[in-house]
Every structure is written in C-alpha cells, then in structure tokens.
Amino acid sequence: IEPYRHFVDFTTGQRMDHYGAAFKILTDAVIVPDKVYWAANAIFVPQHQQSLEDRSIWLRTSGSSLSTALTFQLSSGIFVGGEARHLATYDGGWLQDRVGYAVYAGPTFLWKINDKMAFNATWQPQVYGHSLANPQQRYDLDNFDRAQFRAKLSVAFN
C-alpha cells in the first residue's frame, strides 16, 4: 500500500488537496531457472480531490492497472521480453462508471551492469483503447498517453 497526498492537480496544474493510495499485488516467478521469468501485477488506486479555492468541490475517481510480462535471459547480464498492460480510469472512488481504458504492449530490456547496478527500459504504444468522451476513436487519448516509455537506472548503495 502506497498512500500519497499532493497539493496540485497533475492534469490541470490547479491547486487541489489530493490524496489517495495505491493498493498493489505484485507477483513474479521463475519459469525456467536462469532463462525465463514471468510477472503479473494488479493495482487499484482510489483518489479524492478537494479544491483549495472552494472546499465544497470534491472529485472522487479511481483507476486500475493489470499487467503481465515475460522475460528471457539472453546472457549473464542481458534480459529481453515483452509486457502487456490494461489501464482503466473511473468516476467514483471504487471503480464505478468507467470513463476509459487503454491497452499497451511492447518490448522490455534489462542490462545487469554489475551486482550493484542495473539499467532497464520499456517502450509501450497504446494498441487499443476506448474513451466515453470520444467513442469513435480507436485509442483513449483523452485519459492516457499514446505511448509510454520508461527508463530506470538502479544503484544499490549497500
């Protein structure tokens, strides 16, 4: 569980009293030792926002994320694979009234530089989506990005 509190709406930039928590179930397994790895994640995020200018205005939303990935070890420090994710956003704090969803799929890469450093990256375009605001569109670009890229350098200091 990851609770949080912010004072700015990241979408509009307006001042808001924004709080919530991410409830996460993260799993992984070795399919073939030293060769094939699998992971699956489920995340639920209820959120509440209150305008700092007008305390009578409350907005309750929620989101969900389901993902799975399969990774293959090519050599002692190089891993490649693929990941698929389904993201959804809702009006209401408990997954009521879905506003839109997006399905992403793409490659993943991890380079284990040494025992204390690793670099990983993934690029995932939205392959399908649906928005209530624009139901004729193939993608949900009202609530989600067209593609997502993530790069991370991990360093252990112990």
Side-chain angles (χ1 to χ4, degrees), residues 9 60 63 65 88 91 95 116 127 157-158:
D9 182 329
R60 290 174 176 81
S65 171
D91 277 340
L95 305 177
K116 297 199 178 265
V127 295
F157 292 105
N158 55 6

Side-chain angles (χ1 to χ4, degrees), residues 39-60:
N41 302 324
I43 302 172
F44 165 61
V45 182
Q47 304 176 83
H48 302 277
Q49 290 182 335
Q50 184 182 40
S51 171
L52 294 178
E53 285 79 30
D54 183 352
R55 293 280 183 183
S56 68
I57 298 174
W58 277 94
L59 176 64
R60 290 174 176 81

Side-chain angles (χ1 to χ4, degrees), residues 119-130:
F119 172 79
N120 68 11
T122 181
W123 174 73
Q124 297 175 353
Q126 189 179 144
V127 295
Y128 188 74
H130 180 78

Side-chain angles (χ1 to χ4, degrees), residues 3-10 14-20 47-50 52:
Y4 62 86
R5 185 165 186 186
H6 306 288
F7 296 98
V8 174
D9 182 329
F10 295 131
Q14 295 178 5
R15 291 176 33 128
M16 293 290 253
D17 191 358
H18 184 170
Y19 63 92
Q47 304 176 83
H48 302 277
Q49 290 182 335
Q50 184 182 40
L52 294 178

Side-chain angles (χ1 to χ4, degrees), residues 29-37 71-79 112:
V30 176
I31 304 300
V32 177
D34 297 324
K35 291 292 176 200
V36 182
Y37 305 87
T71 302
F72 303 90
Q73 184 172 354
L74 296 181
S75 67
S76 64
I78 302 293
F79 301 80
K112 185 177 176 185

Side-chain angles (χ1 to χ4, degrees), residues 73-134:
Q73 184 172 354
L74 296 181
S75 67
S76 64
I78 302 293
F79 301 80
V80 296
E83 180 179 8
R85 293 185 304 137
H86 180 279
L87 305 178
T89 185
Y90 301 85
D91 277 340
W94 300 101
L95 305 177
Q96 305 101 314
D97 302 324
R98 186 167 68 179
V99 175
Y101 68 90
V103 177
Y104 292 88
T108 62
F109 170 79
L110 181 126
W111 172 30
K112 185 177 176 185
I113 301 166
N114 58 40
D115 287 341
K116 297 199 178 265
M117 290 181 67
F119 172 79
N120 68 11
T122 181
W123 174 73
Q124 297 175 353
Q126 189 179 144
V127 295
Y128 188 74
H130 180 78
S131 167
L132 285 181
N134 290 298

